[in-house]
Amino acid sequence: MLHIVNKSPFEKNSLEQAISNSKDGSAILLIEDAVYAAKSSSSVAEMVKGALGQKTVHVLGPDFNARGFADEDVLEGVTIVDYSGFVDLVENNGTVQSWV
Amino acid sequence: MEDEMMEGGVVKKFMYVNRKAPYGTIYALESLEVVLIAAAFEQDVSLIFMDDGVFQIKKGQKTDGVDMKNFSPTYRALEMYDIEKLYVCKESLEARGMSEDDLIVDVEVLERAALQDLMDEQDVVFSF
Amino acid sequence: MKFGILINEGPYQHQSSDSAYQFAKASIEKGHTIFRVFFYHDGVNNATNLTAPPTDDRNVTLRWTELAQEHDVDLVVCIAAALRRGILDESEAKRQNKANFNLADGFRISGLGQLIEAGIQCDRVVVFGD
């Protein structure tokens, strides 16, 4: 299953809910304002790191870059994807749930 | 009946995720409108209420003072449309100081592990 | 694969229509099919032909119209949500006794059943919202 999160983790609990309500083996994709969660250092970095063992975490590069972060600013273990990679995640992970 | 449905076409598991409170925004009302239409398609429908979505089914809503339609009784009518799988996230309910007694409909309260399983078995997840 | 897309937010105010467009475009480039894009809630505002964004900005509605025309993508606007928000095609304008209509080319107005049908027909449904 693919869980898409688009909310800043500093404002809403969507990422927290996506992490805690997804099964091991799920993929989590951060888009729009959720990309701030993919920064290498922040108060939510530990939460994201905690998810990385059991789930894959991906960040939409175009959204990350648009907000002033370069690819090297990404948290270790988080994969950067472009829109083509977004499509692949949708294709390869079964049902999609958006935590809007 | 179930066999007939299978023969008639595809039956998929549809889940409607309700995470937003009513009235402050229109999402809850328009989401309910989708569910009512969905009933006619004979699919396997589940509704989950979590986060502020649990407030959608709070008993005792009185909207006269805000001149908006109180649509909460409609949740009670879902049963007539054969939509009977209503689930509530236990954690969300408790965090808001509420219990099943505060809800306008009969629901199944789910712990996290059961909720994960429920979501994971769906074919289509609509969130509004 | 066959993809369905649900858009719950209007243009410019929120990124969801932009994200959905980029996703749809990338999907088509990779050989997938966009079976239908369904516009709901304030998402119906993507379908007005009365927007006139500054020339140095993207034209969200026009982009959808062109995608529909070039790749035969079915753009469906929910009728109940559209009537609430003042998005009308010619026949609805007549029915509602309104002087004008504003549905952009490439879009059509229909019922919520079209969304459910997309869920049944498509291999994946992706929701873009607030």
Side-chain angles (χ1 to χ4, degrees), chain B residues 97-114:
Chain B
M98 287 160 65
S99 71
E100 268 183 87
D101 295 339
D102 295 306
L103 306 179
I104 197 167
V105 274
D106 289 333
V107 297
E108 189 178 336
V109 178
L110 297 181
E111 309 246 5
R112 179 166 292 170

Side-chain angles (χ1 to χ4, degrees), chain A residues 22-41:
Chain A
S22 54
K23 295 189 85 157
D24 290 357
S26 300
I28 295 170
L29 172 64
L30 309 170
I31 70 168
E32 298 173 4
D33 288 350
V35 300
Y36 294 117
K39 277 185 84 252
S40 56
S41 68

Side-chain angles (χ1 to χ4, degrees), chain B residues 12 16 27 30 33 127-128, chain C residues 9 40-41 84-85 119 122:
Chain B
K12 284 189 172 181
Y16 294 83
Y27 299 104
E30 287 190 332
E33 289 180 353
S127 28
F128 300 101
Chain C
E9 297 300 326
Y40 197 44
H41 301 293
R84 272 193 183 112
R85 293 164 177 86
C122 293

Side-chain angles (χ1 to χ4, degrees), chain C residues 12-30:
Chain C
Y12 305 108
Q13 174 79 17
H14 195 284
Q15 199 185 343
S16 63
S17 183
D18 292 279
S19 299
Y21 174 78
Q22 300 297 345
F23 174 80
K25 198 165 135 254
S27 298
I28 292 166
E29 280 164 9
K30 292 175 78 77

Side-chain angles (χ1 to χ4, degrees), chain A residues 2-5 96-100, chain B residues 17 19 125 127, chain C residues 126-128:
Chain A
L2 173 66
H3 295 264
I4 301 177
V5 181
V96 183
Q97 174 164 0
S98 292
W99 290 83
V100 294
Chain B
V17 182
R19 294 180 58 232
V125 179
S127 28
Chain C
V126 187
V127 179
F128 294 89

Side-chain angles (χ1 to χ4, degrees), chain B residues 74-84 86 106:
Chain B
T74 310
Y75 294 101
R76 302 225 306 241
L78 290 176
E79 210 178 347
M80 295 188 306
Y81 292 86
D82 291 324
I83 294 175
E84 289 164 339
L86 273 56
D106 289 333

